[in-house]
Amino acid sequence: MKIVNVVCSAGRTGFYFDDQRAIKRGAGHDGMFYIGEPVTEGFRSVRQAGESISVMIVLEDGQVAYGDCAAVQYSGAGGRDPLFLAEDFIPVIEKYIKPELVGKEADNFRELCKMMEDIQVEGKRLHTAIRYGVSQAILDAVAKSTGKMMCEVVAKEYDCSVSESPIPIFTQSGDDRYDNSDKMIIKGAQVLPHALINHVGTKLGENGELLADYVAWLRDRIINNRASSEYMPVMHIDVYGTIGAVFGNNNYVAMADYIEKLGEIAKPFKLRIEGPMDCDSTREAQIEALSALTAELDRRNCDVELVADEWCNTLEDIKLFADNKAGHMIQIKTPDLGGINNTIEAVLYCKEKGIGAYQGGTCNETDRSAQVCVHCAMATQPTQILAKPGMGVDEGYMIVHNEMNRIIALYKAKKATFEN
């Protein structure tokens, strides 16, 4: 079935664009606003509304497939592509992508994505957010054209199987790590709470004591309020390199001692620590340090798992981290990888290497990008998937949970019909 048109509309995301460089330089809070002037190119204020672009592919029978272009909260930072504003990038899609898609058969997701990812403008690849959203629309177009669910298209083209059971959902609290944890427990989230431990003095503690107290509080909160003793969520806490800041990025024994202590406090629940250190120098330094700490924990038979995040932004990065066992699990930040074809390949590569695959993303996405990511996850079956967008817990968890259950119900119904 041919593609006859590509239409774009500007949209909002589930969170905000924040100027990370300005925040690191001391921009203060005033309610939901930041005080101060932006320093990263493109920002009008330190915090501004997140923007998206819906890309709608019109098929010759009138069906409309769509995906949403979106970028991470800290756009323009850490080597990422510049701030993603709809008014700047809708013309790019209309000028460079629309002519390439119109007239093509919507019959092969991988081939159409390769064509799209190879497009260059003035010698540069398209913005990661554009490739992210257009690839979602392509997947939906192929699914509609072939009468399949998106997860079935992925499973067929990548030789994997659609899951008939839910993938564990990871919820993130933002700074509201107490009230939002309560929401997660009520909802029965399988992995929680992220917690945003990004400051030594106020969140980790000069000797790690504040995080230890929080882990103990969370343990007791779950035990005292869970609906059933069968509810055993994984604690997954992102520490943004603060453990390394306190104990030394290369002091693997001291870091392992502290992490092992946290693991004991968390029991009977399993603990994951994301981003224990942040080596600002190079990707190679980060891989070396995280590999060494992973090996130290494994030598001790410690059951706490480390999660790679910093310096792990592209498919190439993910492969290097997995090859070097830099962490027990790797976050695959979906918008940073560009086309969702890269997310699919990243999950499958991690699984092949025996590394946990965390199909993540950002709070600054949309309901549509979250739904399409669920289809990718149900086909590739990562260890866990992020609830997104937003930081309110309820909304992101609902979107991901409900789309997952729709897929399971429809897939089982289709199988039963075919078998009968």
Side-chain angles (χ1 to χ4, degrees), residues 237-406:
I237 296 177
D238 192 345
V239 299
Y240 291 84
T242 54
I243 292 176
V246 167
F247 297 100
N249 283 342
N250 301 115
N251 192 341
Y252 310 121
V253 172
M255 283 193 290
D257 286 344
Y258 176 66
I259 290 169
E260 199 168 31
K261 173 186 172 185
L262 290 179
E264 289 302 313
I265 294 170
K267 291 187 185 311
F269 305 107
K270 184 176 181 62
L271 178 66
R272 293 190 182 119
I273 295 293
E274 182 174 344
M277 80 287 288
D278 184 3
C279 299
D280 292 329
S281 53
T282 63
R283 177 182 66 182
E284 286 65 33
Q286 182 74 8
I287 289 173
E288 181 180 354
L290 194 53
S291 295
L293 183 57
T294 302
E296 176 64 22
L297 290 176
D298 289 347
R299 185 187 65 78
R300 301 178 180 208
N301 293 316
C302 176
D303 61 0
V304 178
E305 293 182 337
L306 302 181
V307 184
D309 181 14
E310 295 302 322
W311 290 95
C312 194
N313 300 314
T314 68
L315 178 58
E316 177 193 12
D317 294 339
I318 289 163
K319 288 181 176 180
L320 282 173
F321 274 74
D323 289 344
N324 289 278
K325 202 177 181 184
H328 302 94
M329 174 181 283
I330 295 173
Q331 185 190 170
I332 298 159
K333 291 177 281 190
T334 54
D336 282 341
L337 269 69
I340 55 170
N341 49 302
N342 295 319
T343 290
I344 292 164
E345 291 187 25
V347 171
L348 294 175
Y349 191 86
C350 287
K351 292 177 66 176
E352 178 187 330
K353 294 294 182 176
I355 301 293
Y358 157 28
Q359 187 185 296
T362 174
C363 53
N364 194 46
E365 295 192 46
T366 72
D367 56 339
R368 184 54 177 172
S369 65
Q371 289 169 342
V372 179
C373 283
V374 171
H375 279 265
C376 295
M378 291 300 285
T380 59
Q381 302 186 38
T383 308
Q384 65 188 40
I385 180 174
L386 181 65
K388 55 188 182 181
M391 284 288 192
V393 177
D394 296 315
E395 300 84 355
Y397 185 84
M398 171 192 68
I399 290 166
V400 171
H401 178 269
N402 290 359
E403 187 69 12
M404 201 176 291
N405 282 349
R406 290 184 198 107

Side-chain angles (χ1 to χ4, degrees), residues 16-82:
Y16 309 97
F17 288 130
D18 288 340
D19 185 346
Q20 188 180 58
R21 289 171 60 205
I23 294 168
K24 285 185 174 180
R25 291 186 185 184
H29 266 296
D30 178 10
M32 288 298 294
F33 299 96
Y34 277 103
I35 303 167
E37 295 298 317
V39 297
T40 300
E41 184 179 356
F43 278 83
R44 299 183 296 272
S45 57
V46 178
R47 166 167 282 178
Q48 60 192 68
E51 298 188 20
S52 65
I53 299 172
S54 280
V55 178
M56 293 164 278
I57 294 177
V58 183
L59 300 173
E60 60 183 329
D61 68 349
Q63 292 188 92
V64 179
Y66 73 106
D68 280 356
C69 305
V72 298
Q73 174 187 4
Y74 297 122
S75 288
R80 294 186 177 99
D81 283 350

Side-chain angles (χ1 to χ4, degrees), residues 94-212:
E94 292 175 339
K95 182 176 180 179
Y96 294 100
I97 296 178
K98 180 176 177 178
E100 295 295 332
L101 286 177
V102 171
K104 294 286 196 307
E105 291 284 344
D107 58 359
N108 191 294
F109 166 69
R110 295 179 77 168
E111 288 184 4
L112 287 171
C113 279
K114 184 180 185 307
M115 177 273 295
M116 182 269 300
E117 293 247 33
D118 286 342
I119 295 172
Q120 295 194 352
V121 179
E122 297 178 355
K124 296 182 180 178
R125 299 180 75 185
L126 296 166
H127 195 293
T128 50
I130 290 178
R131 290 184 275 134
Y132 188 46
V134 173
S135 62
Q136 295 166 35
I138 289 171
L139 178 57
D140 192 22
V142 174
K144 285 181 164 62
S145 178
T146 57
K148 292 181 170 64
M149 291 191 292
M150 289 182 280
C151 57
E152 292 176 307
V153 173
V154 174
K156 180 181 179 182
E157 294 196 18
Y158 288 87
D159 193 27
C160 46
S161 302
V162 176
S163 177
E164 294 187 45
S165 58
I167 307 297
I169 300 173
F170 175 34
T171 45
Q172 54 183 342
S173 65
D175 270 326
D176 195 4
R177 64 188 60 80
Y178 293 94
D179 286 348
N180 274 346
S181 290
D182 287 354
K183 296 178 184 180
M184 297 168 189
I185 295 166
I186 293 169
K187 296 286 188 189
Q190 298 91 345
V191 188
L192 76 179
H194 187 266
L196 198 70
I197 307 298
N198 60 357
H199 188 265
V200 171
T202 59
K203 297 176 182 178
L204 187 89
E206 297 299 334
N207 296 295
E209 71 280 359
L210 296 180
L211 178 55

